[in-house]
Short mmCIF file of all heavy atoms in Angstrom, two decimals:
data_model
loop_
_atom_site.label_atom_id
_atom_site.label_comp_id
_atom_site.label_asym_id
_atom_site.label_seq_id
_atom_site.Cartn_x
_atom_site.Cartn_y
_atom_site.Cartn_z
N ALA A 1 0.82 -1.19 -0.02
CA ALA A 1 -0.02 -0.07 0.08
C ALA A 1 0.94 1.23 -0.02
O ALA A 1 0.57 2.27 -0.71
CB ALA A 1 -0.91 -0.01 1.22
N ALA A 2 1.94 1.28 0.78
CA ALA A 2 2.90 2.37 0.78
C ALA A 2 3.60 2.56 -0.53
O ALA A 2 3.71 3.67 -1.03
CB ALA A 2 3.91 2.17 1.98
N ALA A 3 4.00 1.43 -1.16
CA ALA A 3 4.59 1.51 -2.41
C ALA A 3 3.65 2.07 -3.53
O ALA A 3 4.04 2.86 -4.40
CB ALA A 3 5.26 0.23 -2.84
N LYS A 4 2.40 1.62 -3.45
CA LYS A 4 1.41 1.99 -4.34
C LYS A 4 1.20 3.55 -4.19
O LYS A 4 1.04 4.32 -5.21
CB LYS A 4 0.10 1.30 -4.15
CG LYS A 4 -0.97 1.63 -5.04
CD LYS A 4 -2.30 0.88 -4.84
CE LYS A 4 -3.39 1.37 -5.77
NZ LYS A 4 -4.74 0.77 -5.49
N ALA A 5 1.02 4.02 -2.92
CA ALA A 5 0.86 5.42 -2.70
C ALA A 5 1.96 6.26 -3.22
O ALA A 5 1.75 7.33 -3.82
CB ALA A 5 0.62 5.76 -1.23
N ALA A 6 3.25 5.71 -3.00
CA ALA A 6 4.37 6.53 -3.52
C ALA A 6 4.40 6.52 -4.99
O ALA A 6 4.71 7.59 -5.55
CB ALA A 6 5.62 5.87 -2.96
N ALA A 7 4.06 5.45 -5.62
CA ALA A 7 4.08 5.38 -7.16
C ALA A 7 3.00 6.34 -7.67
O ALA A 7 3.17 7.08 -8.61
CB ALA A 7 3.79 3.96 -7.64
N GLU A 8 1.75 6.42 -6.96
CA GLU A 8 0.77 7.22 -7.44
C GLU A 8 1.11 8.75 -7.17
O GLU A 8 0.90 9.54 -8.10
CB GLU A 8 -0.50 6.99 -6.68
CG GLU A 8 -1.30 5.69 -7.06
CD GLU A 8 -2.40 5.31 -6.14
OE1 GLU A 8 -2.60 5.89 -5.13
OE2 GLU A 8 -3.19 4.40 -6.52
N ALA A 9 1.86 9.04 -6.18
CA ALA A 9 2.39 10.37 -5.99
C ALA A 9 3.42 10.76 -7.01
O ALA A 9 3.39 11.84 -7.61
CB ALA A 9 2.95 10.61 -4.61
N GLU A 10 4.21 9.81 -7.41
CA GLU A 10 5.22 10.09 -8.48
C GLU A 10 4.52 10.31 -9.78
O GLU A 10 4.89 11.25 -10.57
CB GLU A 10 6.26 8.95 -8.53
CG GLU A 10 7.25 8.89 -7.42
CD GLU A 10 8.20 7.69 -7.55
OE1 GLU A 10 8.45 7.27 -8.71
OE2 GLU A 10 8.69 7.29 -6.51
N LEU A 11 3.53 9.56 -10.07
CA LEU A 11 2.81 9.72 -11.29
C LEU A 11 2.03 11.02 -11.37
O LEU A 11 1.98 11.63 -12.48
CB LEU A 11 1.74 8.56 -11.52
CG LEU A 11 2.32 7.24 -11.85
CD1 LEU A 11 1.28 6.14 -11.86
CD2 LEU A 11 2.95 7.32 -13.31
N ALA A 12 1.48 11.43 -10.25
CA ALA A 12 0.88 12.70 -10.18
C ALA A 12 1.75 13.87 -10.40
O ALA A 12 1.45 14.83 -11.17
CB ALA A 12 0.16 12.93 -8.85
N GLU A 13 3.01 13.70 -9.81
CA GLU A 13 4.03 14.79 -10.07
C GLU A 13 4.49 14.80 -11.55
O GLU A 13 4.61 15.86 -12.10
CB GLU A 13 5.24 14.47 -9.13
CG GLU A 13 6.27 15.54 -9.18
CD GLU A 13 5.83 16.92 -8.75
OE1 GLU A 13 4.89 17.06 -7.99
OE2 GLU A 13 6.43 17.83 -9.33
N ALA A 14 4.63 13.55 -12.04
CA ALA A 14 5.03 13.54 -13.54
C ALA A 14 3.99 14.16 -14.39
O ALA A 14 4.15 14.78 -15.40
CB ALA A 14 5.33 12.05 -13.87
N GLY A 15 2.75 13.76 -14.01
CA GLY A 15 1.63 14.49 -14.81
C GLY A 15 1.63 15.95 -14.77
O GLY A 15 1.36 16.61 -15.71
N LYS A 16 1.89 16.52 -13.56
CA LYS A 16 2.02 18.02 -13.42
C LYS A 16 3.13 18.52 -14.21
O LYS A 16 3.00 19.51 -14.82
CB LYS A 16 2.24 18.32 -12.00
CG LYS A 16 1.00 18.13 -11.04
CD LYS A 16 1.27 18.46 -9.59
CE LYS A 16 0.13 18.12 -8.71
NZ LYS A 16 0.46 18.42 -7.31
N LEU A 17 4.29 17.88 -14.22
CA LEU A 17 5.40 18.31 -14.99
C LEU A 17 5.03 18.19 -16.56
O LEU A 17 5.39 19.17 -17.23
CB LEU A 17 6.60 17.46 -14.79
CG LEU A 17 7.29 17.64 -13.25
CD1 LEU A 17 8.42 16.68 -13.11
CD2 LEU A 17 7.68 19.07 -13.16
N ASN A 18 4.35 17.21 -16.95
CA ASN A 18 3.97 17.05 -18.33
C ASN A 18 2.99 18.09 -18.69
O ASN A 18 3.09 18.64 -19.80
CB ASN A 18 3.42 15.69 -18.61
CG ASN A 18 4.39 14.61 -18.72
OD1 ASN A 18 5.49 14.89 -18.86
ND2 ASN A 18 3.97 13.32 -18.57
N GLU A 19 2.06 18.41 -17.90
CA GLU A 19 1.00 19.46 -18.10
C GLU A 19 1.79 20.79 -18.30
O GLU A 19 1.50 21.59 -19.12
CB GLU A 19 -0.01 19.48 -16.98
CG GLU A 19 -1.08 20.48 -17.21
CD GLU A 19 -2.04 20.03 -18.26
OE1 GLU A 19 -2.17 18.88 -18.52
OE2 GLU A 19 -2.67 20.93 -18.84
N SER A 20 2.72 21.08 -17.34
CA SER A 20 3.46 22.31 -17.37
C SER A 20 4.22 22.38 -18.65
O SER A 20 4.28 23.54 -19.35
CB SER A 20 4.42 22.32 -16.18
OG SER A 20 5.34 23.51 -16.27
N PHE A 21 4.95 21.34 -19.06
CA PHE A 21 5.64 21.31 -20.34
C PHE A 21 4.76 21.53 -21.52
O PHE A 21 5.10 22.40 -22.44
CB PHE A 21 6.33 19.99 -20.52
CG PHE A 21 7.02 19.84 -21.87
CD1 PHE A 21 8.27 20.49 -22.10
CD2 PHE A 21 6.43 19.05 -22.85
CE1 PHE A 21 8.91 20.32 -23.34
CE2 PHE A 21 7.12 18.92 -24.10
CZ PHE A 21 8.35 19.54 -24.31
N LEU A 22 3.60 20.91 -21.51
CA LEU A 22 2.69 21.12 -22.60
C LEU A 22 2.10 22.50 -22.73
O LEU A 22 1.95 23.06 -23.77
CB LEU A 22 1.50 20.13 -22.54
CG LEU A 22 1.88 18.68 -22.84
CD1 LEU A 22 0.65 17.77 -22.45
CD2 LEU A 22 2.30 18.47 -24.23
N ASN A 23 1.78 23.12 -21.51
CA ASN A 23 1.35 24.49 -21.52
C ASN A 23 2.41 25.43 -22.10
O ASN A 23 2.10 26.33 -22.84
CB ASN A 23 0.98 24.93 -20.17
CG ASN A 23 -0.37 24.21 -19.72
OD1 ASN A 23 -1.13 23.76 -20.48
ND2 ASN A 23 -0.58 24.08 -18.43
N LYS A 24 3.63 25.18 -21.61
CA LYS A 24 4.75 26.04 -22.02
C LYS A 24 4.91 25.90 -23.61
O LYS A 24 5.10 26.89 -24.32
CB LYS A 24 6.06 25.70 -21.33
CG LYS A 24 7.20 26.55 -21.72
CD LYS A 24 8.48 26.11 -20.96
CE LYS A 24 9.69 26.97 -21.47
NZ LYS A 24 10.89 26.57 -20.91
N ALA A 25 4.97 24.68 -24.07
CA ALA A 25 5.12 24.44 -25.52
C ALA A 25 3.97 25.08 -26.29
O ALA A 25 4.22 25.76 -27.35
CB ALA A 25 5.16 22.96 -25.75
N GLU A 26 2.78 24.95 -25.78
CA GLU A 26 1.66 25.59 -26.43
C GLU A 26 1.70 27.11 -26.50
O GLU A 26 1.47 27.76 -27.51
CB GLU A 26 0.32 25.18 -25.75
CG GLU A 26 -1.00 25.70 -26.44
CD GLU A 26 -2.19 25.32 -25.66
OE1 GLU A 26 -2.13 24.48 -24.68
OE2 GLU A 26 -3.27 25.71 -26.09
N SER A 27 2.21 27.64 -25.41
CA SER A 27 2.36 29.08 -25.35
C SER A 27 3.39 29.55 -26.37
O SER A 27 3.32 30.55 -27.09
CB SER A 27 2.77 29.56 -23.91
OG SER A 27 3.11 30.89 -24.00
N GLU A 28 4.54 28.79 -26.51
CA GLU A 28 5.64 29.15 -27.34
C GLU A 28 5.16 28.90 -28.79
O GLU A 28 5.49 29.80 -29.67
CB GLU A 28 6.83 28.22 -27.14
CG GLU A 28 7.57 28.54 -25.83
CD GLU A 28 8.70 27.59 -25.48
OE1 GLU A 28 8.89 26.59 -26.27
OE2 GLU A 28 9.37 27.79 -24.42
N ILE A 29 4.33 27.96 -29.02
CA ILE A 29 3.87 27.70 -30.44
C ILE A 29 2.87 28.86 -30.74
O ILE A 29 2.91 29.37 -31.92
CB ILE A 29 3.22 26.33 -30.52
CG1 ILE A 29 4.24 25.22 -30.47
CG2 ILE A 29 2.40 26.28 -31.83
CD1 ILE A 29 3.75 23.89 -30.38
N SER A 30 2.04 29.23 -29.89
CA SER A 30 1.12 30.38 -30.17
C SER A 30 1.80 31.63 -30.49
O SER A 30 1.46 32.39 -31.37
CB SER A 30 0.18 30.51 -28.95
OG SER A 30 -0.63 29.41 -28.74
N ALA A 31 2.88 31.86 -29.69
CA ALA A 31 3.75 33.13 -29.95
C ALA A 31 4.29 33.03 -31.40
O ALA A 31 4.35 34.01 -32.06
CB ALA A 31 4.78 33.33 -28.87
N GLU A 32 4.89 31.81 -31.72
CA GLU A 32 5.48 31.73 -33.00
C GLU A 32 4.48 31.90 -34.12
O GLU A 32 4.76 32.52 -35.11
CB GLU A 32 6.18 30.33 -33.07
CG GLU A 32 7.05 30.16 -34.32
CD GLU A 32 7.87 28.93 -34.33
OE1 GLU A 32 8.06 28.32 -33.22
OE2 GLU A 32 8.32 28.48 -35.38
N VAL A 33 3.38 31.33 -33.96
CA VAL A 33 2.18 31.40 -34.96
C VAL A 33 1.86 32.84 -35.14
O VAL A 33 1.65 33.38 -36.17
CB VAL A 33 1.07 30.43 -34.61
CG1 VAL A 33 -0.20 30.89 -35.45
CG2 VAL A 33 1.40 29.00 -34.77
N ALA A 34 1.70 33.57 -33.99
CA ALA A 34 1.33 34.94 -34.02
C ALA A 34 2.40 35.82 -34.82
O ALA A 34 2.06 36.64 -35.64
CB ALA A 34 1.13 35.48 -32.69
N GLY A 35 3.68 35.46 -34.52
CA GLY A 35 4.77 36.13 -35.27
C GLY A 35 4.72 35.86 -36.77
O GLY A 35 4.89 36.73 -37.58
N LEU A 36 4.53 34.63 -37.12
CA LEU A 36 4.44 34.22 -38.52
C LEU A 36 3.26 34.91 -39.26
O LEU A 36 3.30 35.28 -40.41
CB LEU A 36 4.34 32.69 -38.70
CG LEU A 36 5.70 31.92 -38.32
CD1 LEU A 36 5.37 30.41 -38.33
CD2 LEU A 36 6.79 32.34 -39.28
N ARG A 37 2.07 34.97 -38.50
CA ARG A 37 0.97 35.63 -39.11
C ARG A 37 1.25 37.16 -39.34
O ARG A 37 0.77 37.68 -40.39
CB ARG A 37 -0.29 35.48 -38.07
CG ARG A 37 -0.98 34.12 -38.25
CD ARG A 37 -2.21 34.05 -37.39
NE ARG A 37 -2.81 32.77 -37.54
CZ ARG A 37 -3.56 32.20 -36.66
NH1 ARG A 37 -3.73 32.83 -35.45
NH2 ARG A 37 -4.05 30.99 -36.75
N SER A 38 1.90 37.73 -38.33
CA SER A 38 2.28 39.08 -38.48
C SER A 38 3.12 39.32 -39.71
O SER A 38 2.95 40.33 -40.49
CB SER A 38 2.92 39.54 -37.17
OG SER A 38 3.30 40.95 -37.35
#
């Protein structure tokens, strides 16, 4: 149970990092698209 809880916590943290990375990438892509449109 302790190992499962630790693994779930690690997965949640990895999910947060992935979400953060995706948000940053989306923001950078949006800025690049806006520049290209301009």
Side-chain angles (χ1 to χ4, degrees):
K4 181 182 177 186
E8 287 173 347
E10 287 179 26
L11 284 173
E13 183 62 28
K16 288 178 185 176
L17 290 174
N18 284 342
E19 185 70 26
S20 174
F21 173 77
L22 290 174
N23 288 339
K24 182 180 176 187
E26 184 178 354
S27 175
E28 289 174 358
I29 289 169
S30 294
E32 188 172 341
V33 166
L36 291 173
R37 281 185 180 150
S38 177

